[in-house]
Amino acid sequence: MRVHKIASIPADGIGPEVISAGLEALDALALRDGGFRLEVMHLDWGSERYKKTGIYIPEGGLDLLKTMDAIYFGAVGAVDVPDHISLWGLRLPIAQGFDLYANVRPTRILPGVESPLRDAGPGDLDWLIVRENSEGEYAGHGGRAHRGLPEEVATEVAIFTRVGVERIMRFAFDCARARPRKLLTVVTKSNAQRFGMVMWDEIAAEVAKDYPDVTWDKELVDAMTMRMVRKPRSIDTVVATNLHADILSDLAAALAGSLGVAPTGNVDPQRRFPSMFEPIHGSAFDITGKGIANPVASFWTAALMLEHLGERRAAAALMTAVEQVCAAGILTPDVGGKASTKEVTKAVVDAIRGYNFPV
Ligand code: IPM
Ligand code: MG
């Protein structure tokens, strides 16, 4: 029996609602599969704890996480804690502390979910956005001087290193190679930004030489937004900087129908540290506690985690179950349905129980 050790950090807002839904589905999958078991460590790290103790991650917390195989994360952010505090208090120390440099964001139009794009349905939009997750515009490099004075100055410096750019390019080319279309678009802004972005382009071209079987092209980030809307079928795998991919992945999620279905993995491709998987949607205070949060992003996130753990069969079963349930119209309000989180979860768990596992 394969055993995978998972740290569950539901944290804030709708995080606990969707993570418990995801854990239910994972339990059902492990039972149905019969070949693996999950050992889940439940951690109460989040903004409530921060408000009581002044810290998000207790002492020794990162060392504890290091002993795990993966991290299943909900959402961080609270109305009464400034966003940059919660983010730098919990999520970024894990992602940056463990050097989870590759952020993967698959986007697809699920059956039963309507895209705002005219004529686009399942199959017309099937993208994998690879986001550089360790440097660039999120390097945390900068400062402020002369606070409050008329001459106040602030800098926010984007950092690009050869090591950082080369490893994300290799990862993106590997991802593109593993997908049927073997097609990669490198997003850039080297027309306006003459240093970091020009090096980014040069390294992309160097790495591309090792992947003669992958077709690649380059697109400026502004033009990329238009291409995503106007020619979604021309895109497959995409690699972009931390900030560019942050923005493009929200557009991608909207074009696929809802942020409520979009998953992400913060991955250490070298597997030195546990990778962290989370829905993209965030805390969503407006619907917290109402029982209507869409658990699909959390399921899809769980599927990414299973794939990373080598449980491909269970990952495929989970996505099949999710697609069946969506196609049957069992959807939460954000995607035009009337079902609750619990109803969608029950339907997915039932579909998993009825799924015929290939042997
Ligand atoms: C995301 C989010 C975060 C980011 C926010 C919460 C800081 O938008 O994961 O895309 O920008 O990285
Ligand atoms: Mg974002």
Side-chain angles (χ1 to χ4, degrees):
M1 174 83 72
R2 300 177 295 279
V3 179
H4 306 296
K5 285 158 73 181
I6 308 295
S8 156
I9 311 178
D12 300 342
I14 60 171
E17 300 168 48
V18 297
I19 291 300
S20 75
L23 290 174
E24 251 184 79
L26 283 167
D27 271 347
L29 281 163
L31 263 181
R32 192 78 189 79
D33 182 281
F36 72 95
R37 188 160 65 74
L38 298 180
E39 239 170 51
V40 182
M41 181 167 70
H42 300 272
L43 298 170
D44 68 348
W45 306 353
S47 294
E48 283 313 310
R49 197 174 212 283
Y50 168 76
K51 282 185 264 174
K52 279 188 224 125
T53 66
I55 43 171
Y56 274 91
I57 303 182
E59 225 186 297
L62 288 181
D63 284 332
L64 183 66
L65 287 183
K66 278 186 204 159
T67 65
M68 309 304 290
D69 297 314
I71 303 164
Y72 192 35
F73 190 91
V76 66
V79 257
D80 45 1
V81 180
D83 283 343
H84 66 278
I85 302 277
S86 56
L87 193 75
W88 286 95
L90 185 56
R91 199 170 142 263
L92 289 180
I94 301 174
Q96 299 202 349
F98 290 168
D99 199 21
L100 306 178
Y101 64 83
N103 183 252
V104 293
R105 302 190 159 193
T107 313
R108 250 187 300 141
I109 302 177
L110 295 176
V113 174
E114 203 179 316
S115 164
L117 287 176
R118 203 173 42 219
D119 304 331
D124 291 325
L125 188 162
D126 185 350
W127 301 337
L128 182 73
I129 299 182
V130 174
R131 171 179 180 181
E132 200 297 314
N133 213 30
S134 66
E135 52 177 36
E137 309 85 345
Y138 281 59
H141 205 81
R144 284 173 77 169
H146 316 304
R147 279 190 189 240
L149 298 174
E151 63 271 36
E152 180 166 3
V153 51
T155 59
E156 190 82 51
V157 182
I159 304 286
F160 294 94
T161 65
R162 179 165 284 277
V163 168
V165 176
E166 185 173 340
R167 67 186 183 176
I168 199 65
M169 288 299 168
R170 288 203 181 277
F171 180 79
F173 273 97
D174 284 335
C175 289
R177 176 178 270 173
R179 288 166 58 92
R181 293 175 70 196
K182 300 189 195 302
L183 187 65
L184 176 70
T185 301
V186 176
V187 173
T188 183
K189 192 62 197 174
S190 50
N191 55 346
Q193 299 189 303
R194 293 180 288 171
F195 310 110
M197 287 286 82
V198 171
M199 184 179 82
W200 171 270
D201 290 2
E202 285 169 12
I203 294 174
E206 285 165 28
V207 171
K209 290 191 193 128
D210 291 339
Y211 296 83
D213 52 329
V214 174
T215 310
W216 74 288
D217 63 359
K218 212 165 72 178
E219 193 73 82
L220 296 171
V221 65
D222 46 348
M224 187 66 180
T225 60
M226 289 211 294
R227 180 163 158 196
M228 285 167 69
V229 173
R230 307 198 85 118
K231 292 188 192 155
R233 293 166 205 81
S234 74
I235 300 167
D236 187 77
T237 309
V238 175
V239 62
T241 69
N242 216 328
L243 181 63
H244 289 166
D246 174 41
I247 299 165
L248 295 179
S249 60
D250 265 27
L251 176 59
L255 295 177
S258 168
L259 199 55
V261 305
T264 186
N266 301 278
V267 177
D268 169 18
Q270 272 119 45
R271 293 174 184 263
R272 299 158 297 173
F273 296 105
S275 294
M276 175 165 71
F277 300 84
E278 58 178 338
I280 296 188
H281 50 57
S283 314
F285 314 118
D286 51 331
I287 57 161
T288 300
K290 292 191 175 158
I292 53 164
N294 193 341
V296 168
S298 179
F299 296 142
W300 198 341
T301 295
L304 289 183
M305 181 166 77
L306 287 170
E307 263 172 41
H308 182 79
L309 294 169
E311 301 297 346
R312 283 174 196 286
R313 189 170 73 157
L318 179 50
M319 286 317 288
T320 306
V322 167
E323 287 181 17
Q324 267 171 19
V325 168
C326 289
I330 306 173
L331 303 164
T332 46
D334 58 301
V335 276
K338 289 202 173 71
S340 65
T341 311
K342 286 216 156 70
E343 284 161 346
V344 176
T345 305
K346 182 174 182 306
V348 167
V349 167
D350 286 345
I352 291 167
R353 290 195 179 126
Y355 183 81
N356 245 333
F357 268 82
V359 265

